[in-house]
Amino acid sequence: MENSRQLNPAFFQRSPLDIAPELLGCLLVRELDGVRLAGRIVEVEAYMGEEDAASHAYRGETARNRAMFGPPGHGYVYLIYGIHHCLNVVCGPVGLARAVLIRALEPLAGIEVMRERRGQENMRALCSGPGKLCQALGIDRALDGHDLLGGSALWLEPGVVPGDAICTSPRVGVRGDEAAINAPWRFFLSGNPDVSRTPLNRSQRNS
DNA sequence: GTCAAGATTAGT
DNA sequence: CTAATCTTGACG
């Protein structure tokens, strides 16, 4: 058995490249209508702000991405394609728009509610994708800028550090320059069935 | 005001 | 491979 992460402000006051793989195994908890929904993080991606052509913050601060420039440990939630919401954890320091996108969860609690919210009959791939997990947990822009260390509505909790191998690959669906497209900044638990399905899953293994 | 594009997903 | 669906940001 390994140690739990310390999810204090200092934890998020570092580079997303260090934080992202360490968020694997941590819990994302949502309290919705008095019900506790929770999942274990199994897939994430790091975004490096102004230095990253794939980041929403590449061209500076706007009304939409403002939360990314704010305090670490808070959420950045955006709507994509007019349909899906996606959740990021903002990383420090304040002023640098760095963040980690939560891409997939292994459902742990409130699974029936998640299934209903997703309008899905089976329980597979319930939270396997950034848009899916937000739908399952009822996450939308109302939670943009929310403190994810506050222990209310939506928060992160330490989990057991996974013994599974951590794989990396380029990020899914990004545009930008070659560096952004090729950067191996997606991190996921090797072989975990709740990781989103993509050809990139066959890529490099490390960590 | 107008317009193109988007860190996705489900279905053909 | 493509449609769905609508907010945002850039530009005039």
Side-chain angles (χ1 to χ4, degrees):
Chain A
M1 191 69 78
E2 303 177 56
N3 296 327
S4 294
R5 305 288 185 197
Q6 297 289 325
L7 297 183
N8 48 37
F11 177 91
F12 295 99
Q13 194 71 23
R14 298 178 296 148
S15 168
L17 297 179
D18 295 325
I19 296 171
E22 294 184 20
L23 281 177
L24 296 174
C26 292
L27 272 41
L28 181 66
V29 187
R30 169 76 162 134
E31 191 173 300
L32 191 60
D33 301 324
V35 180
R36 183 186 137 108
L37 314 177
R40 176 179 179 243
I41 299 171
V42 298
E43 177 183 349
V44 295
E45 282 175 358
Y47 286 84
M48 296 296 280
E50 298 89 334
E51 307 162 23
D52 181 357
S55 171
H56 290 166
Y58 186 53
R59 292 180 172 79
E61 181 175 340
T62 65
R64 174 217 211 186
N65 66 24
R66 185 147 300 140
M68 262 200 293
F69 290 80
H74 287 226
Y76 162 50
V77 181
Y78 65 89
L79 177 66
I80 188 65
Y81 296 110
I83 306 172
H84 310 286
H85 291 274
C86 295
L87 170 69
N88 292 251
V89 183
V90 175
C91 302
V94 170
L96 290 189
R98 298 176 167 175
V100 175
L101 171 69
I102 309 298
R103 285 196 57 90
L105 303 176
E106 178 182 317
L108 294 181
I111 295 178
E112 276 308 300
V113 173
M114 294 185 194
R115 194 180 53 69
E116 286 173 29
R117 291 193 53 81
R118 296 255 307 119
Q120 194 175 307
E121 298 189 357
N122 58 56
M123 301 196 307
R124 286 205 301 240
L126 218 46
C127 299
S128 302
K132 294 179 180 181
L133 72 90
C134 282
Q135 183 181 30
L137 299 193
I139 296 169
D140 61 23
R141 290 223 79 196
L143 288 165
D144 187 44
H146 180 78
D147 181 6
L148 298 177
L149 303 182
S152 72
L154 178 68
W155 67 95
L156 292 164
E157 285 182 12
V160 173
V161 176
D164 315 71
I166 293 175
C167 289
T168 66
S169 82
R171 294 169 295 181
V172 178
V174 301
R175 313 288 170 187
D177 53 30
E178 291 255 324
I181 291 169
N182 296 327
W185 292 346
R186 170 171 176 257
F187 304 84
F188 57 102
L189 296 183
S190 176
N192 186 291
D194 289 297
V195 168
S196 66
R197 286 183 107 277
T198 154
L200 297 172
N201 288 355
R202 296 177 180 280
S203 303
Q204 317 91 340
R205 161 176 296 203
N206 37 17
S207 270

